[in-house]
Amino acid sequence: MLGGMKKLPTVAIIGQTNAGKSSLFNRMTRSRQAIVAKEEGTTRDNVMARVATAKGAFWLVDTAGLKDPEDEFEASIQDQIADAVENADLILVAMDATKYPNQDDKDIAKKALKSRKPVVLILNKCDLKGNLAEEEFLRLGVKDRVRVSAEHGTGVKELKELIGELIDLSGAQVKDEDVLKIALIGRPNVGKSSLFNVMAKKQQAIVANVSGTTRDLNRVKIKFEKVALEIIDTAGVRRPGKQEVGVEKFSVLRTMQAIEEADVCCLLVDGTEPRSAFDQRLAGIIDKVGKGMIIVVTKWDLVDASEEGVTDKILAGMTRDFNFAPYAPVVLTSSVDGKNVTKIFELALKIREERKREFKTSELNRVLAQAILSHPPAGLKNKHPKLRYMVQTDTSPPWFVVYGRHLSFLHWSYKRYLENIFRETFGFEGTPIKFSFRDEKTQTGRKPKAEEGGEERVRTNWRGEKKKKG
């Protein structure tokens, strides 16, 4: 738990697959953080979010469906559920109210009660025809029961009130902090979850040799140099033609939402494979929305670094492939030995400061004047752009507006020249900077006079005859 916070109680939702756990999670958190679909076993990572109530707040954890582990991958999922139950202060056992409880339901309830934590039986889908009477579930031995409809919100308010009665929420309020959010972005199986685990210093995300393991957003909060950080692990994004229908489409949406939410995005690139056009496309998305960016080369332990010039060769390739984002630093990492993970944190903190920088207008115009003097802008059609002055209008990312005349004729290469000059002068490592160019005439609405190249305005009557002045 972050420093400066009181420990929030944790409430875990467990149950069989397709019992409506993720729908209940989304309803209670008023979000779409967990993936909801009609397919069984949609949730595979533990998903956590804060829930506020009148009595206080708590962490709500959505887990995968409990079932017998069929393989090593499934066993790791079940281990995460057991871990969530062990660390929870209260357990919600979700069951489908339209189905009679079977032996698996009995085992789940028994496992929850054995933890000696407060347990609440959630009878979900109570709005559907054929839902069973509450008496049918008495044999499970759970004292507190609530009938809910996660889809329509029925009973959710009563559930939150019951949670507030069973565990102490008083004083459990999260202090508003300036949290730096770092999202791990990349193609499937590039090593995001492995890096996430190293950064979180615990086995938070499921790691397997199966491509596309993570489908929900996985989060963890840590402290680094007294700064609160939130690490967001995302599902791998495939190029559109490779996306499966259904759940994977939702995962892509989650990744795009993570990019929007993050302050700094770590674009992970597999060091053992050649870069793809899709890596460049992801970098372009991050750049376009104005987020900080670090290019992280993963699996460096599998690269033969003893080969002469291999490091320089890879760094040169990164510079070439991501030449539209020259500001993004490159970090070579290995999740096996934790190589350069601390450097990622250090860069993220530095990038945040770069994104927040504010400049005096006089300082900006001094640099602009020097840039114009060294290289005046060329024009088109006898229209020569004149850059008069500039101001800073925003931060995160830094945004500058240049005012002048005939700026629609300013060539894109000159805009890139100005960006390079400002980067050489002020730095801006790891963050895009944005420029807008506004013609003064357009801003004021003033019509150009004839001597300025505009047409003379002549007043006429309804017949089109020229009116006499006076």
Side-chain angles (χ1 to χ4, degrees), residues 424-436:
E424 291 173 6
T425 306
F426 300 116
F428 300 119
E429 181 181 15
T431 182
I433 55 177
K434 303 294 184 178
F435 286 87
S436 296

Side-chain angles (χ1 to χ4, degrees), residues 344-356:
I344 295 176
F345 292 144
E346 293 172 347
L347 281 171
L349 293 181
K350 183 178 180 181
I351 290 171
R352 181 174 70 165
E353 296 308 311
E354 292 290 300
R355 291 168 59 76
K356 288 182 175 181

Side-chain angles (χ1 to χ4, degrees), residues 7 18 95 160 168 238 257 262 271 345 366 368 387 445:
K7 184 180 183 299
N18 214 28
M95 294 190 182
K160 289 183 178 180
D168 183 17
R238 304 175 194 270
Q257 290 174 340
F345 292 144
R366 175 182 58 81
L368 177 64
L387 283 62

Side-chain angles (χ1 to χ4, degrees), residues 240-255:
K242 295 290 185 180
Q243 293 171 12
E244 298 175 6
V245 176
V247 171
E248 189 168 355
K249 291 283 188 182
F250 296 143
S251 298
V252 173
L253 178 60
R254 298 295 186 281
T255 299

Side-chain angles (χ1 to χ4, degrees), residues 6-282:
K6 289 188 176 181
K7 184 180 183 299
L8 288 178
T10 300
V11 176
I13 308 175
I14 66 172
Q16 289 200 63
T17 57
N18 214 28
K21 297 183 298 299
S22 293
S23 296
L24 179 62
F25 176 91
N26 289 339
R27 174 65 66 174
M28 293 181 71
T29 59
R30 297 181 179 180
S31 70
R32 290 292 181 268
Q33 187 169 338
I35 295 174
V36 179
K38 293 182 179 180
E39 305 170 38
E40 289 195 2
T42 302
T43 302
R44 298 198 278 189
D45 288 334
N46 290 346
V47 182
M48 184 168 68
R50 177 179 175 270
V51 178
T53 71
K55 292 186 177 180
F58 59 88
W59 289 116
L60 184 64
V61 181
D62 181 24
T63 65
L66 274 166
K67 54 185 178 181
D68 291 331
E70 301 172 357
D71 52 32
E72 183 181 349
F73 177 52
E74 186 64 41
S76 67
I77 298 175
Q78 305 308 315
D79 288 343
Q80 280 205 7
I81 298 170
D83 182 62
V85 170
E86 181 180 349
N87 291 287
D89 297 285
L90 183 146
I91 302 169
L92 304 179
V93 178
M95 294 190 182
D96 189 336
T98 64
K99 298 179 180 178
Y100 286 95
N102 57 24
Q103 187 58 46
D104 289 337
D105 291 318
K106 295 177 183 178
D107 292 341
I108 291 170
K110 185 177 179 180
K111 181 178 293 188
L113 292 169
K114 191 176 180 180
S115 69
R116 299 191 178 279
K117 310 282 181 64
V119 179
V120 178
L121 181 64
I122 308 298
L123 302 178
N124 192 24
K125 308 181 184 181
C126 68
D127 57 313
L128 300 181
K129 289 184 179 180
N131 68 88
L132 304 173
E134 197 169 319
E135 289 75 19
E136 298 292 341
F137 299 88
L138 292 178
R139 72 185 79 173
L140 299 173
V142 181
K143 175 184 173 183
D144 295 296
R145 298 175 297 276
V146 180
R147 298 178 69 85
V148 305
S149 168
E151 185 173 353
H152 297 105
T154 306
V156 173
K157 181 180 178 181
E158 291 78 4
L159 174 58
K160 289 183 178 180
E161 291 175 352
L162 179 59
I163 291 173
E165 294 173 5
L166 295 175
I167 56 176
D168 183 17
L169 303 180
S170 61
Q173 299 292 338
V174 176
K175 177 184 175 183
D176 290 332
E177 292 200 40
D178 188 12
V179 179
L180 172 58
K181 295 189 177 184
I182 304 173
L184 307 183
I185 309 297
R187 290 179 290 156
N189 212 29
V190 77
K192 294 183 297 298
S193 293
S194 296
L195 180 61
F196 176 86
N197 290 337
V198 175
M199 296 173 81
K201 294 185 179 179
K202 65 177 181 178
Q203 185 73 12
Q204 175 79 10
I206 298 170
V207 180
N209 291 324
V210 182
S211 180
T213 303
T214 303
R215 296 196 287 195
D216 291 320
L217 293 185
N218 204 4
R219 302 165 184 265
V220 67
K221 289 185 178 180
I222 62 173
K223 279 279 191 176
F224 181 77
E225 295 184 356
K226 299 181 179 180
V227 177
L229 307 179
E230 182 173 4
I231 316 300
I232 306 173
D233 180 23
T234 64
V237 185
R238 304 175 194 270
R239 59 188 176 88
K242 295 290 185 180
Q243 293 171 12
E244 298 175 6
V245 176
V247 171
E248 189 168 355
K249 291 283 188 182
F250 296 143
S251 298
V252 173
L253 178 60
R254 298 295 186 281
T255 299
M256 297 309 166
Q257 290 174 340
I259 293 175
E260 288 283 355
E261 180 182 349
D263 301 297
V264 178
C265 294
C266 291
L267 176 62
L268 275 61
V269 179
D270 193 331
T272 64
E273 297 179 358
R275 270 82 61 199
S276 71
F278 196 64
D279 290 326
Q280 296 171 320
R281 184 183 172 196
L282 287 174

